[in-house]
Structure formats: structure tokens, C-alpha cells
């Protein structure tokens, strides 16, 4: 969506407590940020307790929250209305920032997918290893700078080819 509507450039939202009426219902961007902060704390507790399966579920729940944001905000509809430009920019920023944090959380479990997300975000490309690239301390909201240019999208999990039939 950032490629299609913003030439891959994201813009940080003006108001941190921004909310608006989306096509699928109210959109509370501040709620998403709080959801992420709470989930990172829960994720940390799960990882500290060696509950890796629960930590992965925490990251998956965050991805579900992002899907709900897309459903409620309907960015494709926001893009058609010039008066909704700020809302579209805010949604796209929140989705990109969400992906950045999710990549950090999944990095111990799905390192290849996490690296691919960071590559697509064009984030910390100079840090090739997991130790330097993925730090739990970087999960604080707002890491992507104003005007950041994202990479080109590619599938994170390409389909597995079916075995040939005899």
C-alpha cells in the first residue's frame, strides 16, 4: 500500500492520539500503540520464562491487530479522498512501524522472515547479523523516521511447490 499510494515513502502522523472514522468503523491509532507496548511486555515475560510458543502467539496477535487496522481504516478508500490524506499517511506509518516491531519479536524464532521484513522496510541494512539488527530495546514505538523510504515488497513466505505427480 505504501508503494501504491505514497511511492514507498512513509510520513509520521502529526497527532499521536489520532483517531478517525474508517470505512469499517472507528480507527484508534493510539490503541494500536498501546496494544504493541503491552504485547512487548507480555512477550518479554514469555521469553524470559522459556514460553516460546506463547511469545510467538503474542507476535501473531499483533499481526492480527494490524489486519484489523487495515479492515477498519480501508486505506484503499482513504486514498481516493484527498481530504483523508493525513489519515492514510497515519495508517501506512502505523503499519510499517508495526512490521518493524513484529520483525524484532519474531527474530529469535523466524530469523529469515525477520530479516526479510527489515530488508523490505530498508531498515538497519548495515547490520547484517541478528545481534546488531534485532534488539528488544528497539521495540519502542516511533523508530521509523519521518520520510523513510521503504523497499519493494516481496513475499515473506513464498509458496512451496507441489511435488510432481507421477
Amino acid at each position: 500500500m505504501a508503494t501504491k499510494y505514497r511511492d514507498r515513502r512513509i510520513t509520521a502522523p502529526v497527532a499521536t492520539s489520532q483517531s478517525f472514522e474508517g470505512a469499517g468503523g472507528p480507527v484508534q491509532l493510539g490503541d494500536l500503540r498501546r496494544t504493541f507496548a503491552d504485547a512487548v511486555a507480555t512477550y518479554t515475560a514469555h521469553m524470559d520464562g522459556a514460553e516460546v510458543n506463547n511469545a510467538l502467539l503474542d507476535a501473531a496477535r499483533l499481526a492480527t491487530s494490524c489486519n484489523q487496522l487495515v479492515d477498519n481504516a480501508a486505506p484503499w478508500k482513504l486514498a481516493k479522498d484527498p481530504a483523508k490524506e493525513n489519515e492514510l499517511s497515519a495508517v501506512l506509518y502505523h503499519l510499517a512501524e508495526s512490521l518493524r516491531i513484529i520483525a524484532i519479536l519474531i527474530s529469535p524464532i523466524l530469523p529469515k522472515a525477520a530479516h526479510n521484513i527489515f530488508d523490505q522496510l530498508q531498515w538497519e541494512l548495515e547490520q547484517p547479523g541478528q545481534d546488531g539488527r534485532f534488539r528488544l530495546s528497539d521495540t519502542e514505538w516511533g523508530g521509523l523516521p519521518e520520510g523513510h523510504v521503504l523497499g519493494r515488497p516481496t513475499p515473506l513466505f513464498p509458496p512451496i511447490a507441489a511435488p510432481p505427480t507421477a
Side-chain angles (χ1 to χ4, degrees), residues 56-72:
L56 189 56
L57 284 172
D58 294 330
R61 285 186 199 101
L62 292 175
T64 299
S65 296
C66 293
N67 286 337
Q68 290 171 339
L69 171 60
V70 170
D71 288 344
N72 289 341

Side-chain angles (χ1 to χ4, degrees), residues 4-163:
K4 184 175 184 176
Y5 304 129
R6 292 290 187 265
D7 196 31
R8 299 185 356 233
R9 185 174 307 277
I10 58 168
T11 306
V14 176
T16 57
S17 62
Q18 189 168 4
S19 64
F20 59 92
E21 190 62 34
V27 176
Q28 302 287 337
L29 296 174
D31 289 350
L32 183 68
R33 289 188 297 277
R34 282 187 293 283
T35 297
F36 267 74
D38 293 344
V40 167
T42 304
Y43 168 92
T44 302
H46 284 141
M47 288 300 275
D48 287 347
E51 299 173 31
V52 176
N53 59 326
N54 287 329
L56 189 56
L57 284 172
D58 294 330
R61 285 186 199 101
L62 292 175
T64 299
S65 296
C66 293
N67 286 337
Q68 290 171 339
L69 171 60
V70 170
D71 288 344
N72 289 341
W76 55 92
K77 290 182 181 179
L78 295 173
K80 292 178 182 177
D81 184 352
K84 301 283 186 179
E85 183 148 334
N86 288 337
E87 287 89 345
L88 177 60
S89 292
V91 168
L92 295 177
Y93 179 86
H94 278 73
L95 291 172
E97 183 65 3
S98 296
L99 283 173
R100 184 186 69 79
I101 295 169
I102 289 169
I104 293 169
L105 299 181
I106 67 170
S107 66
I109 306 156
L110 299 167
K112 186 174 180 181
H115 280 288
N116 287 342
I117 291 170
F118 264 33
D119 290 348
Q120 288 183 50
L121 291 174
Q122 293 197 126
W123 189 246
E124 294 195 357
L125 295 174
E126 70 282 354
Q127 299 286 338
Q130 189 161 331
D131 291 340
R133 202 171 196 196
F134 303 110
R135 294 178 299 273
L136 195 57
S137 61
D138 290 338
T139 57
E140 187 173 329
W141 194 270
L144 291 174
E146 172 70 26
H148 183 73
V149 178
L150 303 173
R152 300 214 182 273
T154 58
L156 285 179
F157 303 103
I160 298 172

